[in-house]
Amino acid sequence: GDSVTQMEGPVTLSEEAFLTINCTYTATGYPSLFWYVQYPGEGLQLLLKATKADDKGSNKGFEATYRKETTSFHLEKGSVQVSDSAVYFCALTLLNDYKLSFGAGTTVTVRA
Amino acid sequence: DAEITQSPRHKITETGRQVTLACHQTWNHNNMFWYRQDLGHGLRLIHYSYGVQDTNKGEVSDGYSVSRSNTEDLPLTLESAASSQTSVYFCASNRGGLDSPLHFGNGTRLTVT
């Protein structure tokens, strides 16, 4: 079935460090890809998305590029802040299928 | 502002009891979903609905049921609560379409003793 695999955490970084969270997918069709973020005690929020190959999603300094050849959608940020501490989820959905499949989540902690 | 509200935020119940978790959205979305979040598993889909009177099973539906009598509400019922159902439950909704993000509630933490 369709699934997402993302790197295990937790990840601990210092402020201003570079962040990468790997995400790869398996899908029978052409999925749309998403990154969601969950801050402590809250539900998930959409961080960014890409709906076709080579699309780049970006938001709040985060970026991810939809790579069909490597079936990947890695999340990157050049300089993290303490406020970026959260759990990050990679997810996919297929055309005409509105439900999302999520990865296991990666906990990121940024220290001042 | 439109929102999606879950209640209660926290619930403790005993094994074997029936429990219902409420989800109410004011987005007027057709699609509604229930997920559970467990460490190491991420979010797993329990049940979902694409409109009134429509319900579908997700990957971990055993022991759960839902009903959709109107657009706004999708209550989740645990027929006979088990300790394995201790988890954080999230309700979500979206309009549908590739560019339609999921809007999540803040979750219900359920403990089954």
Side-chain angles (χ1 to χ4, degrees):
Chain A
D2 306 316
S3 64
V4 170
T5 302
Q6 61 181 104
M7 65 181 283
E8 295 184 14
V11 174
T12 302
L13 303 166
S14 298
E15 228 173 4
E16 299 184 5
F18 185 86
L19 171 67
T20 299
I21 304 176
N22 290 340
C23 171
T24 57
Y25 68 87
T26 302
T28 53
Y30 299 98
S32 292
L33 301 171
F34 304 83
W35 277 100
Y36 280 79
V37 59
Q38 182 182 32
Y39 299 104
E42 298 182 8
L44 280 70
Q45 307 171 23
L46 178 67
L47 181 59
L48 53 83
K49 65 184 180 187
T51 58
K52 61 183 186 296
D54 300 325
D55 268 2
K56 176 185 283 188
S58 61
N59 186 27
K60 299 182 181 180
F62 290 88
E63 293 183 340
T65 300
Y66 188 166
R67 301 287 188 199
K68 183 179 174 184
E69 62 276 12
T70 55
T71 62
S72 64
F73 192 54
H74 305 322
L75 182 69
E76 298 182 335
K77 186 173 185 180
S79 177
V80 294
Q81 305 301 312
V82 172
S83 58
D84 293 323
S85 298
V87 183
Y88 294 83
F89 292 90
C90 189
L92 67 78
T93 188
L94 294 175
L95 182 65
N96 295 326
D97 185 359
Y98 305 128
K99 58 186 184 292
L100 268 70
S101 295
F102 288 87
T106 301
T107 301
V108 174
T109 302
V110 181
R111 300 193 187 283
Chain B
D1 287 347
E3 59 182 1
I4 181 164
T5 305
Q6 294 184 235
S7 62
R9 287 299 308 272
H10 302 272
K11 174 76 176 177
I12 300 174
T13 192
E14 295 178 345
T15 301
R17 291 191 180 263
Q18 182 181 81
V19 177
T20 296
L21 309 183
C23 175
H24 179 82
Q25 53 99 2
T26 58
W27 291 95
N28 199 33
H29 286 158
N30 283 328
N31 304 332
M32 296 185 73
F33 308 84
W34 274 104
Y35 288 89
R36 59 178 288 176
Q37 183 178 21
D38 303 286
L39 195 64
H41 291 279
L43 275 77
R44 292 180 291 176
L45 184 63
I46 304 171
H47 281 286
Y48 59 101
S49 169
Y50 288 160
V52 176
Q53 302 302 330
D54 176 72
T55 60
N56 305 280
K57 294 181 178 181
E59 59 180 303
V60 291
S61 60
D62 287 350
Y64 303 94
S65 63
V66 294
S67 61
R68 187 88 181 272
S69 59
N70 58 51
T71 299
E72 296 80 17
D73 298 291
L74 187 71
L76 177 71
T77 297
L78 287 67
E79 303 294 343
S80 177
S83 58
S84 60
Q85 295 177 308
T86 293
S87 186
V88 181
Y89 291 86
F90 286 99
C91 182
S93 71
N94 71 4
R95 173 175 48 82
L98 292 179
D99 61 346
S100 175
L102 276 178
H103 297 266
F104 281 83
N106 283 335
T108 294
R109 182 174 295 276
L110 176 67
T111 302
V112 182
T113 61

